[in-house]
Amino acid sequence: MSCMKTASEAKTFAQEWIEAWNSHDLDAILSHYDSGVVLISPIAAKLLADPAGTIEGKTALRNYFKRGLEVYPNLRFELLDLMCGLSSIVLCYRNQEGKRTAEYMEFGDDGQIVRVVANYSV
């Protein structure tokens, strides 16, 4: 993974990702994702009434994120922790309701997210 060779680069990415979400700027949020991205999330399953909770492709992801921002107009994330792998990170954060989330994000060679698996505290 060429985009995060160092802990510093991973921290910069995480901060930019959190800031994009907190700005509610859909284009800024989507700038981190590859056109062929796959996202799996229990929230996607709930919002889309689809038990698979799987979003495929950037267009579908845009629609899902747009819906999420509409449903959660006060959405805000606070970075709690960051773990680095070889071509992935796990980004841990708290949302506006105080619930913790961990997202496993896998990156392609161009440094964009190609796969996300979201996990939420119970």
Side-chain angles (χ1 to χ4, degrees):
M1 173 172 103
S2 60
C3 74
M4 280 178 228
K5 295 177 184 165
T6 68
S8 174
E9 288 170 327
K11 287 177 185 176
T12 297
F13 170 86
Q15 205 58 9
E16 289 174 355
W17 187 89
I18 292 283
E19 287 171 8
W21 274 103
N22 288 345
S23 75
H24 292 208
D25 179 338
L26 201 48
D27 290 329
I29 294 166
L30 287 163
S31 72
H32 298 104
Y33 297 86
D34 184 79
S35 61
V37 65
V38 174
L39 178 140
I40 303 167
S41 167
I43 299 296
K46 178 182 166 184
L47 284 182
L48 304 175
D50 175 2
T54 301
I55 310 291
E56 295 186 46
K58 202 166 185 174
T59 299
L61 191 67
R62 173 181 284 279
N63 294 334
Y64 167 61
F65 285 168
K66 183 176 186 289
R67 173 95 173 106
L69 290 169
E70 291 166 354
V71 171
Y72 302 103
N74 62 336
L75 183 129
R76 181 156 185 80
F77 298 154
E78 173 194 353
L79 184 62
L80 299 175
D81 200 1
L82 174 65
M83 290 160 264
C84 297
L86 295 176
S87 62
S88 63
I89 63 171
V90 176
L91 206 152
C92 303
Y93 58 91
R94 184 181 351 261
N95 70 15
Q96 72 284 353
E97 296 172 350
K99 293 187 179 181
R100 291 171 295 138
T101 302
E103 292 196 21
Y104 164 81
M105 299 176 179
E106 202 171 298
F107 294 84
D109 291 337
D110 64 357
Q112 292 198 301
I113 301 166
V114 295
R115 181 173 169 80
V116 179
V117 180
N119 297 268
Y120 299 88
S121 61
V122 292

mmCIF file of all heavy atoms in Angstrom, residues 18-66:
data_model
loop_
_atom_site.group_PDB
_atom_site.id
_atom_site.type_symbol
_atom_site.label_atom_id
_atom_site.label_comp_id
_atom_site.label_asym_id
_atom_site.label_seq_id
_atom_site.Cartn_x
_atom_site.Cartn_y
_atom_site.Cartn_z
ATOM 1 N N ILE A 18 -11.938 11.829 9.320
ATOM 2 C CA ILE A 18 -12.837 12.307 10.393
ATOM 3 C C ILE A 18 -13.324 13.725 10.063
ATOM 4 O O ILE A 18 -14.514 14.027 10.174
ATOM 5 C CB ILE A 18 -12.126 12.281 11.760
ATOM 6 C CG1 ILE A 18 -11.850 10.844 12.207
ATOM 7 C CG2 ILE A 18 -12.900 13.073 12.815
ATOM 8 C CD1 ILE A 18 -13.018 10.072 12.753
ATOM 9 N N GLU A 19 -12.412 14.599 9.657
ATOM 10 C CA GLU A 19 -12.781 15.986 9.338
ATOM 11 C C GLU A 19 -13.767 16.047 8.176
ATOM 12 O O GLU A 19 -14.695 16.861 8.183
ATOM 13 C CB GLU A 19 -11.535 16.810 9.020
ATOM 14 C CG GLU A 19 -10.705 17.115 10.251
ATOM 15 C CD GLU A 19 -9.350 17.747 9.939
ATOM 16 O OE1 GLU A 19 -9.102 18.105 8.762
ATOM 17 O OE2 GLU A 19 -8.538 17.873 10.870
ATOM 18 N N ALA A 20 -13.581 15.185 7.172
ATOM 19 C CA ALA A 20 -14.512 15.160 6.038
ATOM 20 C C ALA A 20 -15.915 14.780 6.510
ATOM 21 O O ALA A 20 -16.898 15.431 6.150
ATOM 22 C CB ALA A 20 -14.015 14.188 4.965
ATOM 23 N N TRP A 21 -16.000 13.753 7.349
ATOM 24 C CA TRP A 21 -17.305 13.363 7.875
ATOM 25 C C TRP A 21 -17.918 14.470 8.733
ATOM 26 O O TRP A 21 -19.105 14.767 8.612
ATOM 27 C CB TRP A 21 -17.202 12.063 8.675
ATOM 28 C CG TRP A 21 -17.307 10.870 7.786
ATOM 29 C CD1 TRP A 21 -16.294 10.062 7.362
ATOM 30 C CD2 TRP A 21 -18.500 10.371 7.180
ATOM 31 N NE1 TRP A 21 -16.796 9.092 6.531
ATOM 32 C CE2 TRP A 21 -18.137 9.253 6.415
ATOM 33 C CE3 TRP A 21 -19.834 10.764 7.213
ATOM 34 C CZ2 TRP A 21 -19.076 8.514 5.684
ATOM 35 C CZ3 TRP A 21 -20.765 10.026 6.495
ATOM 36 C CH2 TRP A 21 -20.378 8.916 5.741
ATOM 37 N N ASN A 22 -17.124 15.078 9.572
ATOM 38 C CA ASN A 22 -17.649 16.128 10.454
ATOM 39 C C ASN A 22 -18.087 17.364 9.680
ATOM 40 O O ASN A 22 -18.935 18.119 10.145
ATOM 41 C CB ASN A 22 -16.639 16.478 11.538
ATOM 42 C CG ASN A 22 -16.513 15.369 12.572
ATOM 43 O OD1 ASN A 22 -17.354 14.471 12.644
ATOM 44 N ND2 ASN A 22 -15.469 15.418 13.363
ATOM 45 N N SER A 23 -17.544 17.569 8.484
ATOM 46 C CA SER A 23 -17.936 18.707 7.647
ATOM 47 C C SER A 23 -19.246 18.426 6.903
ATOM 48 O O SER A 23 -19.862 19.347 6.374
ATOM 49 C CB SER A 23 -16.842 19.024 6.630
ATOM 50 O OG SER A 23 -16.833 18.055 5.584
ATOM 51 N N HIS A 24 -19.626 17.135 6.835
ATOM 52 C CA HIS A 24 -20.802 16.693 6.083
ATOM 53 C C HIS A 24 -20.681 17.009 4.595
ATOM 54 O O HIS A 24 -21.683 17.098 3.886
ATOM 55 C CB HIS A 24 -22.093 17.293 6.649
ATOM 56 C CG HIS A 24 -22.439 16.776 8.008
ATOM 57 N ND1 HIS A 24 -23.733 16.712 8.457
ATOM 58 C CD2 HIS A 24 -21.669 16.294 9.010
ATOM 59 C CE1 HIS A 24 -23.743 16.229 9.695
ATOM 60 N NE2 HIS A 24 -22.501 15.973 10.046
ATOM 61 N N ASP A 25 -19.446 17.173 4.115
ATOM 62 C CA ASP A 25 -19.169 17.448 2.703
ATOM 63 C C ASP A 25 -19.048 16.110 1.967
ATOM 64 O O ASP A 25 -18.030 15.419 2.077
ATOM 65 C CB ASP A 25 -17.875 18.261 2.594
ATOM 66 C CG ASP A 25 -17.490 18.589 1.166
ATOM 67 O OD1 ASP A 25 -17.930 17.899 0.221
ATOM 68 O OD2 ASP A 25 -16.706 19.546 0.990
ATOM 69 N N LEU A 26 -20.097 15.745 1.237
ATOM 70 C CA LEU A 26 -20.156 14.445 0.586
ATOM 71 C C LEU A 26 -18.986 14.206 -0.370
ATOM 72 O O LEU A 26 -18.420 13.112 -0.402
ATOM 73 C CB LEU A 26 -21.493 14.316 -0.148
ATOM 74 C CG LEU A 26 -22.000 12.933 -0.489
ATOM 75 C CD1 LEU A 26 -21.935 11.977 0.689
ATOM 76 C CD2 LEU A 26 -23.403 13.016 -1.036
ATOM 77 N N ASP A 27 -18.595 15.227 -1.133
ATOM 78 C CA ASP A 27 -17.461 15.061 -2.052
ATOM 79 C C ASP A 27 -16.156 14.833 -1.297
ATOM 80 O O ASP A 27 -15.329 14.021 -1.708
ATOM 81 C CB ASP A 27 -17.340 16.266 -2.985
ATOM 82 C CG ASP A 27 -18.477 16.318 -4.005
ATOM 83 O OD1 ASP A 27 -18.976 15.248 -4.404
ATOM 84 O OD2 ASP A 27 -18.866 17.429 -4.400
ATOM 85 N N ALA A 28 -15.967 15.543 -0.192
ATOM 86 C CA ALA A 28 -14.758 15.348 0.624
ATOM 87 C C ALA A 28 -14.738 13.940 1.217
ATOM 88 O O ALA A 28 -13.696 13.279 1.241
ATOM 89 C CB ALA A 28 -14.685 16.395 1.729
ATOM 90 N N ILE A 29 -15.883 13.472 1.679
ATOM 91 C CA ILE A 29 -15.976 12.115 2.234
ATOM 92 C C ILE A 29 -15.626 11.095 1.153
ATOM 93 O O ILE A 29 -14.786 10.218 1.353
ATOM 94 C CB ILE A 29 -17.395 11.851 2.785
ATOM 95 C CG1 ILE A 29 -17.693 12.746 3.989
ATOM 96 C CG2 ILE A 29 -17.553 10.377 3.160
ATOM 97 C CD1 ILE A 29 -19.161 12.804 4.396
ATOM 98 N N LEU A 30 -16.270 11.224 0.001
ATOM 99 C CA LEU A 30 -16.097 10.239 -1.072
ATOM 100 C C LEU A 30 -14.716 10.266 -1.707
ATOM 101 O O LEU A 30 -14.304 9.295 -2.341
ATOM 102 C CB LEU A 30 -17.173 10.457 -2.139
ATOM 103 C CG LEU A 30 -18.567 10.019 -1.696
ATOM 104 C CD1 LEU A 30 -19.624 10.623 -2.599
ATOM 105 C CD2 LEU A 30 -18.670 8.503 -1.670
ATOM 106 N N SER A 31 -13.970 11.349 -1.521
ATOM 107 C CA SER A 31 -12.636 11.452 -2.116
ATOM 108 C C SER A 31 -11.685 10.371 -1.599
ATOM 109 O O SER A 31 -10.667 10.098 -2.225
ATOM 110 C CB SER A 31 -12.044 12.839 -1.849
ATOM 111 O OG SER A 31 -11.672 12.979 -0.487
ATOM 112 N N HIS A 32 -12.026 9.733 -0.504
ATOM 113 C CA HIS A 32 -11.164 8.703 0.084
ATOM 114 C C HIS A 32 -11.416 7.301 -0.483
ATOM 115 O O HIS A 32 -10.681 6.374 -0.183
ATOM 116 C CB HIS A 32 -11.358 8.665 1.601
ATOM 117 C CG HIS A 32 -10.989 9.935 2.268
ATOM 118 N ND1 HIS A 32 -11.921 10.837 2.729
ATOM 119 C CD2 HIS A 32 -9.781 10.488 2.521
ATOM 120 C CE1 HIS A 32 -11.300 11.870 3.258
ATOM 121 N NE2 HIS A 32 -10.005 11.688 3.138
ATOM 122 N N TYR A 33 -12.473 7.154 -1.294
ATOM 123 C CA TYR A 33 -12.929 5.833 -1.711
ATOM 124 C C TYR A 33 -12.683 5.569 -3.187
ATOM 125 O O TYR A 33 -12.884 6.435 -4.030
ATOM 126 C CB TYR A 33 -14.422 5.673 -1.394
ATOM 127 C CG TYR A 33 -14.708 5.735 0.086
ATOM 128 C CD1 TYR A 33 -14.914 6.957 0.716
ATOM 129 C CD2 TYR A 33 -14.740 4.582 0.847
ATOM 130 C CE1 TYR A 33 -15.156 7.033 2.074
ATOM 131 C CE2 TYR A 33 -14.988 4.646 2.214
ATOM 132 C CZ TYR A 33 -15.191 5.872 2.818
ATOM 133 O OH TYR A 33 -15.415 5.937 4.165
ATOM 134 N N ASP A 34 -12.303 4.338 -3.495
ATOM 135 C CA ASP A 34 -12.086 3.862 -4.858
ATOM 136 C C ASP A 34 -13.434 3.684 -5.569
ATOM 137 O O ASP A 34 -14.458 3.441 -4.920
ATOM 138 C CB ASP A 34 -11.360 2.511 -4.785
ATOM 139 C CG ASP A 34 -10.997 1.975 -6.137
ATOM 140 O OD1 ASP A 34 -9.996 2.449 -6.710
ATOM 141 O OD2 ASP A 34 -11.716 1.071 -6.631
ATOM 142 N N SER A 35 -13.448 3.777 -6.891
ATOM 143 C CA SER A 35 -14.692 3.632 -7.655
ATOM 144 C C SER A 35 -15.325 2.250 -7.478
ATOM 145 O O SER A 35 -16.532 2.101 -7.583
ATOM 146 C CB SER A 35 -14.450 3.915 -9.130
ATOM 147 O OG SER A 35 -13.520 2.992 -9.650
ATOM 148 N N GLY A 36 -14.520 1.240 -7.199
ATOM 149 C CA GLY A 36 -15.035 -0.115 -7.024
ATOM 150 C C GLY A 36 -15.178 -0.533 -5.577
ATOM 151 O O GLY A 36 -15.239 -1.733 -5.265
ATOM 152 N N VAL A 37 -15.252 0.411 -4.679
ATOM 153 C CA VAL A 37 -15.300 0.129 -3.241
ATOM 154 C C VAL A 37 -16.455 -0.803 -2.871
ATOM 155 O O VAL A 37 -17.515 -0.786 -3.501
ATOM 156 C CB VAL A 37 -15.409 1.452 -2.440
ATOM 157 C CG1 VAL A 37 -16.727 2.168 -2.708
ATOM 158 C CG2 VAL A 37 -15.209 1.223 -0.951
ATOM 159 N N VAL A 38 -16.210 -1.622 -1.850
ATOM 160 C CA VAL A 38 -17.245 -2.459 -1.246
ATOM 161 C C VAL A 38 -17.281 -2.118 0.233
ATOM 162 O O VAL A 38 -16.245 -2.127 0.904
ATOM 163 C CB VAL A 38 -16.945 -3.962 -1.436
ATOM 164 C CG1 VAL A 38 -17.954 -4.818 -0.673
ATOM 165 C CG2 VAL A 38 -16.937 -4.327 -2.912
ATOM 166 N N LEU A 39 -18.469 -1.798 0.738
ATOM 167 C CA LEU A 39 -18.653 -1.465 2.144
ATOM 168 C C LEU A 39 -19.684 -2.416 2.729
ATOM 169 O O LEU A 39 -20.738 -2.645 2.121
ATOM 170 C CB LEU A 39 -19.136 -0.023 2.295
ATOM 171 C CG LEU A 39 -19.428 0.449 3.719
ATOM 172 C CD1 LEU A 39 -18.945 1.882 3.910
ATOM 173 C CD2 LEU A 39 -20.908 0.356 4.043
ATOM 174 N N ILE A 40 -19.376 -2.969 3.901
ATOM 175 C CA ILE A 40 -20.292 -3.864 4.610
ATOM 176 C C ILE A 40 -20.533 -3.270 5.990
ATOM 177 O O ILE A 40 -19.581 -3.009 6.728
ATOM 178 C CB ILE A 40 -19.697 -5.284 4.723
ATOM 179 C CG1 ILE A 40 -19.385 -5.829 3.334
ATOM 180 C CG2 ILE A 40 -20.652 -6.200 5.491
ATOM 181 C CD1 ILE A 40 -18.528 -7.074 3.341
ATOM 182 N N SER A 41 -21.816 -3.038 6.311
ATOM 183 C CA SER A 41 -22.134 -2.346 7.552
ATOM 184 C C SER A 41 -23.526 -2.715 8.060
ATOM 185 O O SER A 41 -24.478 -2.743 7.281
ATOM 186 C CB SER A 41 -22.071 -0.831 7.318
ATOM 187 O OG SER A 41 -22.652 -0.133 8.389
ATOM 188 N N PRO A 42 -23.642 -2.934 9.377
ATOM 189 C CA PRO A 42 -24.974 -3.153 9.947
ATOM 190 C C PRO A 42 -25.881 -1.929 9.789
ATOM 191 O O PRO A 42 -27.093 -2.069 9.686
ATOM 192 C CB PRO A 42 -24.705 -3.427 11.430
ATOM 193 C CG PRO A 42 -23.252 -3.642 11.581
ATOM 194 C CD PRO A 42 -22.584 -3.074 10.376
ATOM 195 N N ILE A 43 -25.309 -0.733 9.755
ATOM 196 C CA ILE A 43 -26.115 0.474 9.553
ATOM 197 C C ILE A 43 -26.652 0.492 8.119
ATOM 198 O O ILE A 43 -27.799 0.877 7.889
ATOM 199 C CB ILE A 43 -25.298 1.754 9.866
ATOM 200 C CG1 ILE A 43 -24.844 1.767 11.323
ATOM 201 C CG2 ILE A 43 -26.108 3.005 9.533
ATOM 202 C CD1 ILE A 43 -25.947 1.819 12.354
ATOM 203 N N ALA A 44 -25.841 0.057 7.162
ATOM 204 C CA ALA A 44 -26.315 -0.045 5.782
ATOM 205 C C ALA A 44 -27.470 -1.040 5.705
ATOM 206 O O ALA A 44 -28.473 -0.786 5.026
ATOM 207 C CB ALA A 44 -25.181 -0.457 4.849
ATOM 208 N N ALA A 45 -27.341 -2.151 6.403
ATOM 209 C CA ALA A 45 -28.425 -3.141 6.422
ATOM 210 C C ALA A 45 -29.706 -2.506 6.945
ATOM 211 O O ALA A 45 -30.793 -2.713 6.390
ATOM 212 C CB ALA A 45 -28.023 -4.337 7.283
ATOM 213 N N LYS A 46 -29.587 -1.706 7.998
ATOM 214 C CA LYS A 46 -30.750 -1.051 8.609
ATOM 215 C C LYS A 46 -31.333 0.037 7.698
ATOM 216 O O LYS A 46 -32.527 0.042 7.414
ATOM 217 C CB LYS A 46 -30.326 -0.452 9.957
ATOM 218 C CG LYS A 46 -31.406 0.299 10.681
ATOM 219 C CD LYS A 46 -30.855 0.873 11.979
ATOM 220 C CE LYS A 46 -31.783 1.910 12.567
ATOM 221 N NZ LYS A 46 -31.221 2.539 13.747
ATOM 222 N N LEU A 47 -30.483 0.961 7.231
ATOM 223 C CA LEU A 47 -30.969 2.088 6.423
ATOM 224 C C LEU A 47 -31.536 1.654 5.076
ATOM 225 O O LEU A 47 -32.447 2.284 4.553
ATOM 226 C CB LEU A 47 -29.852 3.105 6.185
ATOM 227 C CG LEU A 47 -29.470 4.027 7.324
ATOM 228 C CD1 LEU A 47 -28.382 4.993 6.888
ATOM 229 C CD2 LEU A 47 -30.674 4.798 7.843
ATOM 230 N N LEU A 48 -30.977 0.582 4.515
ATOM 231 C CA LEU A 48 -31.398 0.144 3.183
ATOM 232 C C LEU A 48 -32.358 -1.043 3.231
ATOM 233 O O LEU A 48 -32.760 -1.545 2.189
ATOM 234 C CB LEU A 48 -30.165 -0.221 2.345
ATOM 235 C CG LEU A 48 -29.118 0.886 2.210
ATOM 236 C CD1 LEU A 48 -27.900 0.381 1.469
ATOM 237 C CD2 LEU A 48 -29.720 2.109 1.526
ATOM 238 N N ALA A 49 -32.695 -1.477 4.450
ATOM 239 C CA ALA A 49 -33.572 -2.641 4.620
ATOM 240 C C ALA A 49 -33.067 -3.830 3.800
ATOM 241 O O ALA A 49 -33.822 -4.508 3.112
ATOM 242 C CB ALA A 49 -35.011 -2.286 4.269
ATOM 243 N N ASP A 50 -31.762 -4.055 3.875
ATOM 244 C CA ASP A 50 -31.109 -5.147 3.150
ATOM 245 C C ASP A 50 -30.226 -5.893 4.142
ATOM 246 O O ASP A 50 -29.205 -5.347 4.583
ATOM 247 C CB ASP A 50 -30.274 -4.582 1.998
ATOM 248 C CG ASP A 50 -29.473 -5.644 1.269
ATOM 249 O OD1 ASP A 50 -29.581 -6.844 1.614
ATOM 250 O OD2 ASP A 50 -28.730 -5.277 0.354
ATOM 251 N N PRO A 51 -30.590 -7.120 4.512
ATOM 252 C CA PRO A 51 -29.837 -7.834 5.539
ATOM 253 C C PRO A 51 -28.360 -8.046 5.217
ATOM 254 O O PRO A 51 -27.547 -8.211 6.118
ATOM 255 C CB PRO A 51 -30.563 -9.173 5.678
ATOM 256 C CG PRO A 51 -31.562 -9.240 4.586
ATOM 257 C CD PRO A 51 -31.714 -7.872 4.007
ATOM 258 N N ALA A 52 -27.983 -8.001 3.928
ATOM 259 C CA ALA A 52 -26.569 -8.168 3.557
ATOM 260 C C ALA A 52 -25.755 -6.949 3.964
ATOM 261 O O ALA A 52 -24.559 -7.057 4.231
ATOM 262 C CB ALA A 52 -26.436 -8.415 2.062
ATOM 263 N N GLY A 53 -26.374 -5.767 4.008
ATOM 264 C CA GLY A 53 -25.680 -4.547 4.412
ATOM 265 C C GLY A 53 -24.472 -4.228 3.563
ATOM 266 O O GLY A 53 -23.499 -3.642 4.045
ATOM 267 N N THR A 54 -24.517 -4.603 2.300
ATOM 268 C CA THR A 54 -23.366 -4.437 1.410
ATOM 269 C C THR A 54 -23.651 -3.375 0.347
ATOM 270 O O THR A 54 -24.667 -3.423 -0.329
ATOM 271 C CB THR A 54 -23.022 -5.779 0.726
ATOM 272 O OG1 THR A 54 -22.732 -6.740 1.743
ATOM 273 C CG2 THR A 54 -21.825 -5.644 -0.188
ATOM 274 N N ILE A 55 -22.723 -2.437 0.235
ATOM 275 C CA ILE A 55 -22.773 -1.379 -0.775
ATOM 276 C C ILE A 55 -21.623 -1.642 -1.735
ATOM 277 O O ILE A 55 -20.489 -1.824 -1.300
ATOM 278 C CB ILE A 55 -22.572 0.016 -0.128
ATOM 279 C CG1 ILE A 55 -23.481 0.238 1.063
ATOM 280 C CG2 ILE A 55 -22.688 1.112 -1.172
ATOM 281 C CD1 ILE A 55 -24.919 0.372 0.754
ATOM 282 N N GLU A 56 -21.901 -1.639 -3.031
ATOM 283 C CA GLU A 56 -20.856 -1.878 -4.023
ATOM 284 C C GLU A 56 -20.782 -0.728 -5.005
ATOM 285 O O GLU A 56 -21.789 -0.367 -5.608
ATOM 286 C CB GLU A 56 -21.112 -3.192 -4.758
ATOM 287 C CG GLU A 56 -21.018 -4.395 -3.826
ATOM 288 C CD GLU A 56 -21.127 -5.712 -4.566
ATOM 289 O OE1 GLU A 56 -20.447 -5.867 -5.612
ATOM 290 O OE2 GLU A 56 -21.882 -6.570 -4.101
ATOM 291 N N GLY A 57 -19.600 -0.150 -5.147
ATOM 292 C CA GLY A 57 -19.357 0.930 -6.101
ATOM 293 C C GLY A 57 -19.567 2.302 -5.485
ATOM 294 O O GLY A 57 -20.322 2.485 -4.537
ATOM 295 N N LYS A 58 -18.856 3.265 -6.046
ATOM 296 C CA LYS A 58 -18.850 4.622 -5.496
ATOM 297 C C LYS A 58 -20.192 5.338 -5.667
ATOM 298 O O LYS A 58 -20.583 6.121 -4.802
ATOM 299 C CB LYS A 58 -17.721 5.435 -6.145
ATOM 300 C CG LYS A 58 -17.288 6.622 -5.324
ATOM 301 C CD LYS A 58 -15.964 7.153 -5.845
ATOM 302 C CE LYS A 58 -15.416 8.257 -4.999
ATOM 303 N NZ LYS A 58 -14.086 8.672 -5.432
ATOM 304 N N THR A 59 -20.917 5.055 -6.749
ATOM 305 C CA THR A 59 -22.223 5.691 -6.937
ATOM 306 C C THR A 59 -23.193 5.228 -5.852
ATOM 307 O O THR A 59 -23.887 6.039 -5.237
ATOM 308 C CB THR A 59 -22.788 5.381 -8.343
ATOM 309 O OG1 THR A 59 -21.875 5.902 -9.310
ATOM 310 C CG2 THR A 59 -24.153 6.023 -8.542
ATOM 311 N N ALA A 60 -23.233 3.938 -5.604
ATOM 312 C CA ALA A 60 -24.095 3.400 -4.548
ATOM 313 C C ALA A 60 -23.638 3.913 -3.181
ATOM 314 O O ALA A 60 -24.469 4.211 -2.313
ATOM 315 C CB ALA A 60 -24.084 1.872 -4.581
ATOM 316 N N LEU A 61 -22.335 4.036 -3.003
ATOM 317 C CA LEU A 61 -21.807 4.542 -1.735
ATOM 318 C C LEU A 61 -22.232 5.990 -1.523
ATOM 319 O O LEU A 61 -22.616 6.379 -0.413
ATOM 320 C CB LEU A 61 -20.283 4.421 -1.715
ATOM 321 C CG LEU A 61 -19.622 4.674 -0.366
ATOM 322 C CD1 LEU A 61 -19.995 3.587 0.640
ATOM 323 C CD2 LEU A 61 -18.113 4.744 -0.522
ATOM 324 N N ARG A 62 -22.181 6.797 -2.577
ATOM 325 C CA ARG A 62 -22.626 8.198 -2.496
ATOM 326 C C ARG A 62 -24.087 8.250 -2.031
ATOM 327 O O ARG A 62 -24.427 9.011 -1.133
ATOM 328 C CB ARG A 62 -22.476 8.903 -3.838
ATOM 329 C CG ARG A 62 -23.089 10.308 -3.855
ATOM 330 C CD ARG A 62 -22.962 10.988 -5.208
ATOM 331 N NE ARG A 62 -21.628 11.477 -5.446
ATOM 332 C CZ ARG A 62 -21.143 12.629 -4.964
ATOM 333 N NH1 ARG A 62 -21.895 13.405 -4.217
ATOM 334 N NH2 ARG A 62 -19.917 12.997 -5.234
ATOM 335 N N ASN A 63 -24.933 7.439 -2.637
ATOM 336 C CA ASN A 63 -26.345 7.426 -2.266
ATOM 337 C C ASN A 63 -26.545 7.009 -0.814
ATOM 338 O O ASN A 63 -27.365 7.590 -0.097
ATOM 339 C CB ASN A 63 -27.138 6.506 -3.208
ATOM 340 C CG ASN A 63 -27.168 7.031 -4.627
ATOM 341 O OD1 ASN A 63 -27.041 8.231 -4.867
ATOM 342 N ND2 ASN A 63 -27.331 6.132 -5.582
ATOM 343 N N TYR A 64 -25.798 6.009 -0.377
ATOM 344 C CA TYR A 64 -25.885 5.540 1.007
ATOM 345 C C TYR A 64 -25.401 6.620 1.980
ATOM 346 O O TYR A 64 -26.070 6.915 2.977
ATOM 347 C CB TYR A 64 -25.084 4.251 1.171
ATOM 348 C CG TYR A 64 -24.858 3.863 2.598
ATOM 349 C CD1 TYR A 64 -25.930 3.585 3.450
ATOM 350 C CD2 TYR A 64 -23.570 3.767 3.116
ATOM 351 C CE1 TYR A 64 -25.716 3.240 4.779
ATOM 352 C CE2 TYR A 64 -23.353 3.414 4.428
ATOM 353 C CZ TYR A 64 -24.426 3.151 5.260
ATOM 354 O OH TYR A 64 -24.206 2.810 6.570
ATOM 355 N N PHE A 65 -24.258 7.219 1.705
ATOM 356 C CA PHE A 65 -23.735 8.260 2.602
ATOM 357 C C PHE A 65 -24.670 9.472 2.638
ATOM 358 O O PHE A 65 -24.883 10.066 3.686
ATOM 359 C CB PHE A 65 -22.331 8.686 2.180
ATOM 360 C CG PHE A 65 -21.243 7.699 2.505
ATOM 361 C CD1 PHE A 65 -19.977 7.847 1.958
ATOM 362 C CD2 PHE A 65 -21.446 6.629 3.357
ATOM 363 C CE1 PHE A 65 -18.952 6.960 2.258
ATOM 364 C CE2 PHE A 65 -20.441 5.727 3.662
ATOM 365 C CZ PHE A 65 -19.188 5.899 3.109
ATOM 366 N N LYS A 66 -25.224 9.826 1.489
ATOM 367 C CA LYS A 66 -26.176 10.947 1.425
ATOM 368 C C LYS A 66 -27.373 10.647 2.322
ATOM 369 O O LYS A 66 -27.801 11.495 3.109
ATOM 370 C CB LYS A 66 -26.623 11.180 -0.020
ATOM 371 C CG LYS A 66 -27.543 12.363 -0.215
ATOM 372 C CD LYS A 66 -27.841 12.551 -1.704
ATOM 373 C CE LYS A 66 -28.637 13.790 -1.984
ATOM 374 N NZ LYS A 66 -30.017 13.714 -1.552
#
